[in-house]
Amino acid sequence: MQNIRAPKGTKDVLPSESHKWHYIESVMRETCALYGARELRTPIIEHTELFLRGVGDTTDIVQKEMYTFEDKGGRSITLKPEGTAGMARAFLENNLYSDTQPTKLYYLNSPTFRYEKPQAGRLREHHQFGIETVGAYGPETDAEVITLALSIFERLGVKDLLLHINSIGCPKCRREYNAALREYLKGYLPQMCETCQGRFEKNPMRIIDCKEPGCRQIVKGAPRTIDYLCDDCRAHFEGVKAYLDAAGAEYVIDPDIVRGLDYYTGTVFEVISNRIGAQGAVCAGGRYNGLIEELGGQSIPAVGFGMGMERLLAVMEVNEVKFPVPEGPTVYFAAMGDRPRVKAFELTKKLRDRGVSAEFDHMDRSFKAQFKYANKIGAKYTVALGDEELDRGMVKAKCMADGSEKELPIEALTEYFI
Ligand code: ATP
Ligand code: MG
């Protein structure tokens, strides 16, 4: 019989890697605390309708990438393909708008599912960290969200990243822009991919984001959203830049960014590395003032981003970031014989109960092999336990760093390590 393998495009996080995730997670949590954001955990499954409305039916996610199935009750359910729609739903459903605004929410390590062609930097299950600040319109909020992302990169020691910003305007600007874009694209319609032909009437801006090489070529000369901003949107964008300047953030204006999701308005941004291959966007986000209303709430503004944790790890690897390595146990008990083995077990338990990490032999190894093993797992002290030690009531604790030994009564052993 053949072994069962993990589904294509999914990845195990092995024990030799998980400490890296823990480190990233702890820095993210610390940074969110500094910025006053609190965690909101939402389910991995949502009603499919949420993403149809909240992400938009002309997006790649909805058109091509969702894991959708019917559950046993006949409901259409979808595995989360992004974080924001679920956060907005939970915000509304739990009346978080009745609290004093703004509401700063984050999610961490959120499993995200997209049926994509697996390749470097593109998985079918990946994990996202993200923040959503809900309730505030001003450009300082956009800038704060962006600086939170930059602050995480800085604290993690990641360089080689560049912030790209753009504005795609509000529905008012969009009408004018869409008209200009249709005018430009009209002649190319037969050469565009089928999906984009369908987008032409409904949402032509999505065509700018298409990954098909033919469409990418066509949109190179297309009108740019930034040239069609109304006065309010232009002022808002200038504001975002001024606040980013005040924060000392470096950025480039990138008129090519329109973002793949329908709910964006105004500011859009990506943080990109050019050192991890073609899929270089580590973090992407923007303002989406239309989303909460779209989901049936009042008109409440919001701004946020999603950060791909696997891509972040990849950038950290190429930056040769040093991860804190998990420590070995404080004490290793090397025991031979029935009585000493029971004593080693008892002492290990006692130490662990007092918050000191300890380990004993599980493999019936020889004394010599036990010491070798203690060395391998990085034990700070080893204690040899044989019948003789038990009879005398005395043991030697050996410091592995300098080889020095200290003789101690067994009864006082736990105190010595605490
Ligand atoms: P792309 O243009 O690369 O497809 P996207 O616009 O679909 O990106 P977002 O929806 O903005 O991506 O997701 C936020 C972040 O999540 C991305 O910037 C990226 O870091 C990460 N991400 C998205 N899709 C994947 C994936 N399939 N595998 C790994 N990481 C991903
Ligand atoms: Mg995508």
Side-chain angles (χ1 to χ4, degrees):
M1 228 185 341
Q2 235 182 354
N3 286 351
I4 297 170
R5 302 181 69 87
K8 203 170 155 188
T10 66
K11 246 180 155 173
D12 299 310
V13 176
L14 299 176
S16 55
E17 296 284 314
S18 52
H19 68 284
K20 298 181 181 176
W21 288 74
H22 296 163
Y23 174 56
I24 293 176
E25 289 160 25
S26 68
V27 168
M28 286 171 167
R29 285 191 197 282
E30 280 163 24
T31 313
C32 284
L34 290 173
Y35 278 73
R38 298 175 68 181
E39 186 178 10
L40 170 61
R41 299 189 190 189
T42 65
I44 290 178
I45 52 172
E46 294 277 1
H47 290 292
T48 303
E49 177 70 18
L50 175 72
F51 303 112
L52 300 186
R53 270 160 62 182
V55 178
D57 55 7
T58 56
T59 58
D60 271 357
I61 289 184
V62 169
Q63 289 186 309
K64 304 175 184 171
E65 299 172 357
M66 292 203 306
Y67 277 88
T68 297
F69 61 95
E70 199 172 282
D71 74 3
K72 290 189 170 61
R75 302 169 198 90
S76 181
I77 295 289
T78 293
L79 301 181
K80 217 180 332 193
E82 55 87 56
T84 300
M87 298 289 274
R89 183 211 35 81
F91 176 85
L92 276 174
E93 191 168 337
N94 299 288
N95 302 334
L96 299 189
Y97 50 81
S98 60
D99 280 346
T100 316
Q101 299 299 314
T103 309
K104 301 183 194 179
L105 305 166
Y106 76 88
Y107 53 93
L108 183 64
N109 240 1
S110 175
T112 308
F113 301 88
R114 298 183 186 184
Y115 196 78
E116 309 204 66
K117 195 167 150 247
Q119 53 196 284
R122 213 178 267 299
L123 292 153
R124 289 189 173 166
E125 183 198 29
H126 72 278
H127 297 81
Q128 289 193 12
F129 161 77
I131 176 159
E132 325 284 351
T133 298
V134 187
Y137 280 101
E140 61 276 15
T141 310
D142 306 45
E144 183 187 55
V145 160
I146 294 172
T147 50
L148 184 146
L150 300 180
S151 165
I152 287 173
F153 296 132
E154 197 177 320
R155 293 163 135 255
L156 287 173
V158 185
K159 297 177 189 81
D160 304 320
L161 287 173
L162 190 54
L163 167 64
H164 293 233
I165 60 169
N166 188 27
S167 174
I168 56 172
C170 63
K172 207 165 71 188
C173 326
R174 190 76 47 82
R175 264 193 302 278
E176 245 190 82
Y177 174 71
N178 281 351
L181 186 56
R182 283 200 193 94
E183 187 56 33
Y184 168 83
L185 291 172
K186 184 164 83 184
Y188 297 106
L189 207 52
Q191 288 133 267
M192 292 188 311
C193 76
E194 221 170 278
T195 319
C196 284
Q197 290 181 2
R199 288 164 169 164
F200 181 81
E201 278 306 327
K202 271 184 103 173
N203 193 349
M205 198 177 76
R206 287 280 73 79
I207 298 170
I208 304 284
D209 217 19
C210 182
K211 302 266 188 315
E212 295 293 328
C215 300
R216 290 184 83 134
Q217 195 58 33
I218 292 168
V219 302
K220 274 192 177 151
R224 310 174 326 162
T225 54
I226 201 163
D227 299 323
Y228 289 81
L229 298 183
C230 66
D231 289 347
D232 286 350
C233 286
R234 181 162 302 285
H236 193 277
F237 191 51
E238 289 307 314
V240 173
K241 290 195 281 180
Y243 281 107
L244 287 175
D245 291 338
E250 282 177 37
Y251 55 87
V252 292
I253 312 288
D254 183 347
D256 292 335
I257 301 181
V258 293
R259 305 291 309 122
L261 317 180
D262 267 1
Y263 47 66
Y264 283 97
T265 53
T267 314
V268 285
F269 66 93
E270 291 187 353
V271 184
I272 297 174
S273 162
N274 56 17
R275 291 186 63 195
I276 53 168
Q279 319 309 331
V282 179
C283 166
R287 179 166 275 287
Y288 38 91
N289 291 347
L291 175 64
I292 290 177
E293 197 173 1
E294 182 66 38
L295 297 181
Q298 306 141 256
S299 170
I300 301 175
V303 53
F305 64 74
M307 189 184 289
M309 308 232 349
E310 285 83 357
R311 289 193 198 170
L312 172 62
L313 258 170
V315 184
M316 291 177 74
E317 302 284 353
V318 298
N319 274 264
E320 291 175 19
V321 169
K322 295 266 176 293
F323 292 89
V325 183
E327 291 188 354
T330 304
V331 193
Y332 181 88
F333 290 103
M336 274 312 241
D338 292 342
R339 253 196 331 142
R341 288 180 72 84
V342 172
K343 193 69 182 172
F345 187 86
E346 179 197 319
L347 290 170
T348 302
K349 169 77 167 56
K350 262 193 191 148
L351 280 169
R352 287 174 177 167
D353 286 349
R354 305 286 300 268
V356 178
S357 57
E359 195 52 79
F360 60 89
D361 173 55
H362 292 255
M363 307 302 293
D364 229 345
R365 292 187 168 101
S366 70
F367 245 140
K368 200 173 151 207
Q370 288 190 44
F371 279 111
K372 221 170 133 187
Y373 178 73
N375 209 19
K376 181 167 183 260
I377 62 174
K380 294 187 191 66
Y381 292 90
T382 47
V383 173
L385 276 175
D387 283 319
E388 193 201 315
E389 279 83 0
L390 288 197
D391 291 343
R392 283 203 307 131
M394 297 293 285
V395 286
K396 278 190 191 137
K398 180 176 174 184
C399 171
M400 300 296 272
D402 59 14
S404 63
E405 287 188 325
K406 187 164 172 73
E407 183 138 53
L408 298 156
I410 292 183
E411 293 320 310
L413 197 61
T414 28
E415 295 306 317
Y416 180 68
F417 293 115
I418 291 166

